[in-house]
Amino acid sequence: MPEVAVNPVPFFVVIGLYIVLMAGIGIYATRHTNTMQDYFVLSGKAGFIVSGIAYATTQYSMGTFLGTPGTIYGIGYAGMGINVPGVAFSLVIPAIFIGRRLVTLGHREGFLTLSDYLSDRYENKKMSGVLGVMMLCFLIPMMGAQILGAGILVNVFTGLPNWVGIVGMGVIVIGYCMTGGMRGAMMTDVVQGVLMFGAAIAAFVICLVMGGGMSSLNESLAKIGESFMTFPGANGAMPWGYYVSNILLWSFFTMGQPQLFTKFFAMKDHKTMFRSVILATVGMMLTCTMCSWAGVLGYPLIGELSNHDYIIPVIIQRGLPPVVASVFIAGIAAAGMSTIDGVLITATSAATRDIYQKFINPKASDEFIMKISRYVTIVIGVIVIIFGCAQPGSIFIINTFAFAGMAMFIVPVLFGMYWKKATCPAAIASIVSGVVTLIACTKVPALKAMIHGFHAVVPAAVVAAIVMFVVSLATQKYAASEETLKRHMLVK
């Protein structure tokens, strides 16, 4: 990686002010968080601005500002072919297929989590324990991918080792999530969303100014290699199968993400949902497109980097005065924090409500669950910090794998909403078989070769759907009652 001028004082001053602001929001949220419904879903009272920004910022992540631009930096324009259309539909598709029903069911039935919905639809509260454990297995790596980015930011701007940023971000997010729950997470998301948008604009504009305009940068990129300008990208990294399946992963399979699923339960009504989706989609399209474009243009501007994840921080660091650069770097840190806080609340609910209250100790009161949730948040947060310090892979690879794993929840959700014969044994079998197939097609060379360049999520989803259909037909004695089906499938 080329040398960068390290100036830690402005960075620490700006980040310090940002931490104070987040702490203040957490304290305010704590004073208005009195029930478990407040803690997990804001009692279903979130308006469209808060909902829209929180919906988008939970989908934003360090991948948006580090992992994805870093990957596109090494591929070229072909990489934008996945990111831009994927973002365009990632929030609209869930709203169309499941959002309206979830808003209604969340208010009417008091659902707080994805497992709440599934265990009620399939009339088996004990399945929450199984689903909760599986969620944690993927939610923790997803948070770990975000926290890795904090280490990169601190390293670029201060020269300190990565673990300093990893531990620092972990402690901050644990603090305001432990105290304010979903209210604290969604309120901080509003501030973080504004900072993210500013960081994306800054990175793109810096590229144009420093590189002499789009035409000049594109000419320089073409000289480096024509493959950067066309499909399938540099080194043939974006074959059509991988291209199509990744668009599906980042758009259609968003419906299976429990941290986004829960956002529908927090929304005030259907009108709020539609306004939120429009606001979130426009904001994400602009932000992600500019970040991705900066990743493409960064190669001729910055040159070769040993770690591609550094590209956006290096562009901002080189193109702006230290204090201004630090403000926008806080925006990138906000991208990770906004994802971690939403996922952390979801992971906490999986551990306390889905596993403990429903599976281990059904007699536990809501007041007790709310109390221990704060301590569980600390425990999960510490595990995430340890995961980040271990640095098991790149941000993009970890984030993609975790996202694909949670995508398997889409099968029992959609079958449950639109097919009366779907059963509980089939729901569990579909998720397990889907996850096993995902891991096998990712890790076993022979199976990986058989899918001909497609992402492993595609065969995994196909297997999960087939298992769901076959097992449901074979286990009709476990089908939900007419009363339950009427509540879930005839939602107005």
Side-chain angles (χ1 to χ4, degrees), residues 122-179:
Y122 293 105
E123 297 183 339
N124 190 330
K125 289 187 177 182
K126 289 188 177 181
M127 76 181 295
S128 292
V130 177
L131 300 181
V133 170
M134 296 190 72
M135 282 184 200
L136 287 175
C137 290
F138 291 103
L139 290 171
I140 287 175
M142 176 168 278
M143 288 185 280
Q146 313 313 312
I147 212 166
L148 273 171
I152 290 174
L153 299 180
V154 169
N155 179 255
V156 168
F157 274 76
T158 71
L160 293 171
N162 286 20
W163 69 264
V164 175
I166 291 170
V167 173
M169 176 179 281
V171 171
I172 295 165
V173 177
I174 290 170
Y176 69 73
C177 284
M178 180 185 70
T179 54

Side-chain angles (χ1 to χ4, degrees), residues 152-215:
I152 290 174
L153 299 180
V154 169
N155 179 255
V156 168
F157 274 76
T158 71
L160 293 171
N162 286 20
W163 69 264
V164 175
I166 291 170
V167 173
M169 176 179 281
V171 171
I172 295 165
V173 177
I174 290 170
Y176 69 73
C177 284
M178 180 185 70
T179 54
M182 184 60 76
R183 185 183 299 274
M186 291 183 77
M187 290 177 66
T188 53
D189 282 350
V190 174
V191 177
Q192 291 161 349
V194 174
L195 286 172
M196 286 182 232
F197 189 66
I201 294 173
F204 181 65
V205 172
I206 288 169
C207 284
L208 297 182
V209 173
M210 291 180 64
M214 185 72 74
S215 297

Side-chain angles (χ1 to χ4, degrees), residues 161-401:
N162 286 20
W163 69 264
V164 175
I166 291 170
V167 173
M169 176 179 281
V171 171
I172 295 165
V173 177
I174 290 170
Y176 69 73
C177 284
M178 180 185 70
T179 54
M182 184 60 76
R183 185 183 299 274
M186 291 183 77
M187 290 177 66
T188 53
D189 282 350
V190 174
V191 177
Q192 291 161 349
V194 174
L195 286 172
M196 286 182 232
F197 189 66
I201 294 173
F204 181 65
V205 172
I206 288 169
C207 284
L208 297 182
V209 173
M210 291 180 64
M214 185 72 74
S215 297
S216 176
L217 285 166
N218 281 332
E219 288 176 9
S220 299
L221 187 63
K223 290 178 182 179
I224 295 172
E226 287 291 338
S227 59
F228 282 94
M229 310 297 292
T230 61
F231 279 90
N235 302 315
M238 201 63 63
W240 73 271
Y242 189 77
Y243 170 71
V244 172
S245 53
N246 265 271
I247 290 177
L248 286 173
L249 173 62
W250 297 109
S251 57
F252 183 77
F253 287 103
T254 304
M255 286 185 284
Q257 307 303 308
Q259 71 278 14
L260 290 172
F261 197 94
T262 306
K263 291 294 188 292
F264 289 111
F265 297 149
M267 294 177 183
K268 186 185 299 183
D269 49 37
H270 296 143
K271 188 175 182 180
T272 295
M273 182 196 74
F274 286 115
R275 287 181 173 179
S276 300
V277 169
I278 293 171
L279 175 63
T281 299
V282 171
M284 279 196 67
M285 275 296 295
L286 291 172
T287 303
C288 293
T289 299
M290 286 185 284
C291 277
S292 298
W293 224 327
V296 173
L297 302 177
Y299 203 112
L301 182 66
I302 302 298
E304 182 63 38
L305 294 172
S306 58
N307 186 335
H308 293 183
D309 288 343
Y310 280 68
I311 183 61
I312 297 297
V314 169
I315 289 172
I316 292 176
Q317 199 263 6
R318 286 192 172 191
L320 293 171
V323 174
V324 179
S326 296
V327 171
F328 288 121
I329 286 300
I332 298 179
M337 293 172 71
S338 65
T339 297
I340 293 174
D341 59 28
V343 177
L344 184 56
I345 295 298
T346 303
T348 298
S349 67
T352 57
R353 183 171 171 80
D354 299 333
I355 298 175
Y356 183 77
Q357 188 180 39
K358 292 185 178 179
F359 192 73
I360 298 175
N361 184 11
K363 295 182 179 180
S365 67
D366 287 354
E367 290 75 16
F368 179 73
I369 294 301
M370 184 178 171
K371 181 179 180 180
I372 66 169
S373 290
R374 303 185 192 279
Y375 300 105
V376 171
T377 298
I378 297 175
V379 173
I380 294 175
V382 170
I383 294 173
V384 171
I385 290 172
I386 295 171
F387 182 95
C389 290
Q391 300 185 33
S394 73
I395 292 173
F396 184 80
I397 291 174
I398 297 171
N399 201 42
T400 301
F401 183 74

Side-chain angles (χ1 to χ4, degrees), residues 23-95:
I25 292 174
I27 293 170
Y28 173 83
T30 302
R31 294 174 178 174
H32 294 80
T33 301
N34 302 311
T35 67
M36 194 160 67
Q37 284 71 27
D38 278 343
Y39 192 83
F40 288 127
V41 295
L42 207 64
S43 293
K45 296 178 180 178
F48 90 92
I49 294 178
V50 172
S51 295
I53 295 177
Y55 192 34
T57 54
T58 299
Q59 180 74 339
Y60 284 133
S61 65
M62 283 296 188
T64 306
F65 289 86
L66 300 178
T68 299
T71 300
I72 293 173
Y73 161 90
I75 294 174
Y77 278 103
M80 289 186 70
I82 286 178
N83 192 37
V84 176
V87 168
F89 298 108
S90 63
L91 304 180
V92 174
I93 288 176

